[in-house]
Amino acid sequence: MSDAIIEFDKVNKWYGDAFHVLRDIDLMVTRGERIVICGPSGSGKSTLIRCVNALEEYQEGRITVDGVVLTDDVKAVEAVRRKVGMVFQQFNLFPHLTVLENLTLAPMWVAHAPKKEAEERAMQQLERVRISEQAAKFPLQLSGGQQQRVAIARALCLTPKIMLFDEPTSALDPEMIKEVLDVIVELAGQGMTMLCVTHEMGFAKAVADRVIFMDQGQIVEQNSPREFFDNPKSERTREFLAKIIGH
Amino acid sequence: MADTFLAITPRPAPVKTEGFVPWVRRNLVGDWKSGLTTLFLIALGVVVLQRATPREWGVARAVFAADADACQAARGIGACWGVIAEKWRIIIFGRYPYEQQWRPEVATILMVAALVVSCARWFWKPWLALLWVVVLAIFFTLMGGGVLDLEPVRTDLWGGLPLTVMLATLSIFLAFPLAVLVALGRRSNLPAIRTVCVVYIELIRGVPLISVLFMASFMFPLFMPQGMSIDVLVRVLVGITLFAAAYMAEIVRGGLQAIPKGQLEAAATLGLTYWQTQRKIVLPQALAMVVPSMMNNFISIFKDTSLVTIVSLYELTGALSLALNSDVEWRPFKIEAYLFITAIYFTFCFAMSRYSLWVEMQVGVSRTR
């Protein structure tokens, strides 16, 4: 398949000797596909997407990202990270740099863009997430929702082909979740390949092409959102959905 | 009908009830009784202080002239500040040849000026490094001589304040980058590098500075090939630097450990290399966190330079003993002389500690809301 952008081939990963966190993961993501991954805590969903940009290494199997096989070879890791942007649950903005400096850091030091150009691009991305008026502030002076939008803009500055979201709204106050989701939905509409770990089921229904449910390091079920929510195949999925939607 | 939400308009905070001024207002001048008591106590304080011994000893009955007989007569009743008038040049310049003492004077003023300039944020520009190269070149040329018609002066004759300032400045400047590298090395993934750093830190921390100085001064030359020697001042400077760096490395490591893992992950995700991550993300935050303990260490290095006396380099404290021990006439007035160098040490250390507070404020800007 030529339009596969991420491929997991029988991937296994252990933490230490005993904890088998990913078990025989087979997954193919096509270009432009939007995938939501959910599952109970400890099911390996964060670990799965962190493998895509080599924040975690794996012991067995093979992961290919946009034609590059991820090994522990530094060159391969570098090549993959250039194509993949990531947004974390805890934002992970650099608190000692201003918002603008957070955005220009990588373009200037990794992509070697001139400062002026990097700043122009950064301002464009800040406008895209509707926060350009905060460019001169420090991250800790912003609200959680604003910080997460800055984090998204920071990832976009390197024009990634794939965006990974690791529970992007889990650390936010309820009132701020929407402003962040709106930005992600907008991105989704622009053809970006996205992998998003989240429990926002409304969001999954609205944007996902496919929902993946994980438990105990395995992919239990994957389907289109409609099928997934209305007609879950496995008992485990039903149980999980009842818990998160039932309240 | 639904209730309408009415926001309460913000109003200013009530008058401050804590802190020094409100406390004074409440307790000392609250009503006429406490006001009167306060006045009475102040008056009493003034009377007592005027009669008190420190003032009498230090000012009223003190001898200010460099007159040993007058000092002898006032002994036990008044201070003999004359000892400073008599001996200040030896205390400040040590054994440096008397008629050449303008050289350490100019050199020290220059170095202290460079230090002051370096403290100000406005001067943190590339040319500051150049300035230091020039200042150090002038310092060592003036002190050592041998060129430009300057009479050569051996390094073992250097002493007093110039030696203290130079040893402290250079060892701090050299130890700091070394400490950062060792701290990073101790957290490295490479076992060889990590082991070297751990052994170095533990070895140095396991011995007192005095023994490091002894080794640098007396034992090291024994291992040198015949006819080859390194100047004692250089050996001592290297000794202090290595000693200070081990302690600083652990301070830096404390800061490194406080950086959340997410910062490293974000940097990795953005494609920054190891050194870029350390330089741009980790060290700025880690060092900002350790400013207070780092300055603590700088101050203690400044004072620890007094230990070089034991290898016959007469810095400020050593020069003081040199000035008085061999002089029967003035020897009894050590206290006054020590108060003099205490004032000098205090000036430097207090300046450093105030500066540290300013730096803390500067690096804290991004943390304030």
Side-chain angles (χ1 to χ4, degrees), chain B residues 85-365:
Chain B
E86 172 75 19
K87 296 288 190 186
W88 70 271
R89 289 187 59 144
I90 304 186
I91 299 175
I92 298 279
F93 297 118
R95 292 193 291 168
Y96 208 89
Y98 188 85
E99 62 288 352
Q100 300 287 333
Q101 281 176 0
W102 65 271
R103 284 158 53 180
E105 190 179 339
V106 173
T108 311
I109 290 173
L110 205 63
M111 188 176 270
V112 172
L115 281 171
V116 170
V117 166
S118 310
C119 283
R121 194 179 197 138
W122 311 282
F123 301 120
W124 294 349
K125 301 274 158 57
W127 55 259
L128 193 61
L130 199 73
L131 176 84
W132 271 102
V133 172
V134 173
V135 165
L136 287 176
I138 297 177
F139 184 92
F140 284 102
T141 312
L142 275 175
M143 293 294 289
V147 281
L148 303 171
D149 289 340
L150 291 171
E151 204 175 291
V153 177
R154 291 198 327 270
T155 50
D156 58 337
L157 294 178
W158 300 11
L161 190 61
L163 189 61
T164 297
V165 171
M166 185 272 278
L167 280 177
T169 308
L170 280 188
S171 55
I172 287 171
F173 274 14
L174 296 173
F176 187 69
L178 180 63
V180 169
L181 288 178
V182 171
L184 290 175
R186 193 167 179 175
R187 287 164 55 86
S188 165
N189 291 326
L190 308 168
I193 291 181
R194 199 170 51 230
T195 313
V196 168
C197 293
V198 171
V199 167
Y200 162 67
I201 290 172
E202 298 303 340
L203 213 61
I204 295 280
R205 286 204 302 182
V207 293
L209 178 55
I210 290 196
S211 53
V212 172
L213 292 177
F214 258 116
M215 274 191 249
S217 164
F218 302 124
M219 273 181 67
F220 185 72
L222 301 179
F223 300 115
M224 293 292 285
Q226 202 86 75
M228 219 178 119
S229 74
I230 298 176
D231 193 284
V232 63
L233 193 63
V234 175
R235 278 181 272 138
V236 161
L237 183 62
V238 170
I240 299 179
T241 302
L242 290 178
F243 186 82
Y247 283 85
M248 281 190 217
E250 286 296 276
I251 295 177
V252 174
R253 190 166 70 94
L256 294 178
Q257 249 148 3
I259 304 296
K261 216 173 128 224
Q263 294 285 305
L264 300 177
E265 288 178 350
T269 308
L270 291 172
L272 296 179
T273 62
Y274 173 81
W275 288 108
Q276 285 173 339
T277 308
Q278 303 307 323
R279 199 181 133 207
K280 292 276 157 189
I281 309 298
V282 176
L283 286 174
Q285 295 184 64
L287 295 179
M289 274 187 273
V290 298
V291 169
S293 37
M294 196 53 98
M295 192 52 83
N296 217 0
N297 203 257
F298 288 179
I299 288 174
S300 92
I301 294 168
F302 182 80
K303 292 185 292 188
D304 279 353
T305 54
S306 56
L307 288 172
V308 301
T309 311
I310 62 141
V311 293
S312 308
L313 290 173
Y314 297 98
E315 49 59 70
L316 198 49
T317 315
L320 171 63
S321 318
L322 198 71
L324 296 186
N325 282 358
S326 55
D327 194 330
V328 191
E329 251 188 298
W330 293 101
R331 197 159 48 194
F333 309 106
K334 255 189 177 168
I335 295 176
E336 290 84 341
Y338 268 107
L339 283 174
F340 175 57
I341 66 162
T342 301
I344 296 176
Y345 275 113
F346 182 80
T347 309
F348 277 92
C349 295
F350 188 66
M352 284 160 93
S353 103
R354 298 314 291 185
Y355 178 62
S356 156
L357 288 180
W358 181 80
V359 172
E360 267 178 67
M361 235 166 57
Q362 297 294 306
V363 298
V365 167

Side-chain angles (χ1 to χ4, degrees), chain A residues 50 53 55 81 84-86 88 92-97 105-106 109-110 138 140-142 154-155 158, chain B residues 261-273 276 279-282 284-285 365-369:
Chain A
R50 286 159 61 89
N53 65 349
L55 279 185
R81 283 181 179 162
V84 183
M86 185 159 191
F88 301 86
N92 293 349
L93 294 173
F94 306 128
H96 61 299
L97 301 177
L105 185 73
W109 289 87
V110 180
F138 287 102
L140 294 183
Q141 295 166 335
L142 305 182
R154 180 176 70 178
L158 288 168
Chain B
K261 216 173 128 224
Q263 294 285 305
L264 300 177
E265 288 178 350
T269 308
L270 291 172
L272 296 179
T273 62
Q276 285 173 339
R279 199 181 133 207
K280 292 276 157 189
I281 309 298
V282 176
Q285 295 184 64
V365 167
S366 66
R367 299 262 168 198
T368 49
R369 289 193 174 258

Side-chain angles (χ1 to χ4, degrees), chain A residues 12-215:
Chain A
N12 279 284
K13 174 179 172 59
W14 288 263
Y15 283 129
D17 291 330
F19 186 30
H20 195 172
V21 60
L22 293 182
R23 306 178 196 175
D24 285 347
I25 299 288
D26 277 316
L27 177 68
M28 202 203 77
V29 182
T30 52
R31 217 168 281 273
E33 198 178 7
R34 292 151 303 193
I35 292 181
V36 162
I37 304 167
C38 58
S41 70
S43 60
K45 49 195 191 309
S46 286
T47 310
L48 179 83
I49 69 164
R50 286 159 61 89
C51 278
V52 175
N53 65 349
L55 279 185
E56 304 281 354
E57 47 191 19
Y58 55 99
Q59 282 81 39
E60 280 176 9
R62 197 166 79 143
I63 300 176
T64 315
V65 180
D66 200 30
V68 181
V69 178
L70 259 182
T71 54
D72 43 14
D73 175 45
V74 184
K75 285 267 180 297
V77 171
E78 265 176 33
V80 165
R81 283 181 179 162
R82 255 200 301 274
K83 302 164 194 248
V84 183
M86 185 159 191
V87 174
F88 301 86
Q89 182 179 357
Q90 301 293 344
F91 328 136
N92 293 349
L93 294 173
F94 306 128
H96 61 299
L97 301 177
T98 63
V99 166
L100 190 64
E101 285 165 344
N102 263 278
L103 267 70
T104 54
L105 185 73
M108 282 170 62
W109 289 87
V110 180
H112 304 291
K115 186 174 179 191
K116 199 162 166 279
E117 196 187 308
E119 283 182 349
E120 273 167 25
R121 282 231 309 273
M123 287 311 291
Q124 280 167 18
Q125 296 302 342
L126 285 176
E127 267 154 41
R128 197 166 164 187
V129 300
R130 293 183 289 277
I131 202 164
S132 51
E133 72 283 359
Q134 313 279 14
K137 286 199 181 164
F138 287 102
L140 294 183
Q141 295 166 335
L142 305 182
S143 74
Q146 290 172 323
Q147 287 188 55
Q148 193 60 301
R149 284 187 281 147
V150 171
I152 294 172
R154 180 176 70 178
L156 291 174
C157 275
L158 288 168
T159 51
K161 292 183 174 177
I162 303 165
M163 281 287 280
L164 308 173
F165 295 89
D166 190 359
E167 306 209 28
T169 57
S170 302
L172 296 177
D173 288 340
E175 285 193 321
M176 292 168 184
I177 291 178
K178 189 171 175 299
E179 65 184 58
V180 171
L181 287 183
D182 284 349
V183 167
I184 304 178
V185 170
E186 221 171 279
L187 263 183
Q190 291 159 0
M192 174 80 72
T193 308
M194 293 190 350
L195 266 69
C196 183
V197 174
T198 184
H199 293 135
E200 295 294 332
M201 291 303 137
F203 168 77
K205 279 180 194 161
V207 302
D209 297 311
R210 185 163 30 141
V211 180
I212 292 177
F213 174 64
M214 286 184 75
D215 190 24

Side-chain angles (χ1 to χ4, degrees), chain B residues 11-85:
Chain B
R11 46 178 188 264
V15 180
K16 238 173 122 189
T17 53
E18 277 162 34
F20 182 68
V21 175
W23 183 87
V24 167
R25 196 171 290 149
R26 199 166 54 240
N27 293 306
L28 300 189
V29 289
D31 51 49
W32 67 270
K33 261 193 280 181
S34 53
L36 220 59
T37 317
T38 306
L39 271 182
F40 173 72
L41 285 174
I42 289 176
L44 195 71
V46 169
V47 172
V48 170
L49 266 185
Q50 272 189 329
R51 307 188 44 152
T53 21
R55 190 180 174 276
E56 206 166 272
W57 181 81
V59 185
R61 302 211 174 178
V63 179
F64 289 90
D67 180 346
D69 294 330
C71 277
Q72 209 44 262
R75 215 172 147 186
I77 319 163
C80 169
W81 302 119
V83 67
I84 295 160

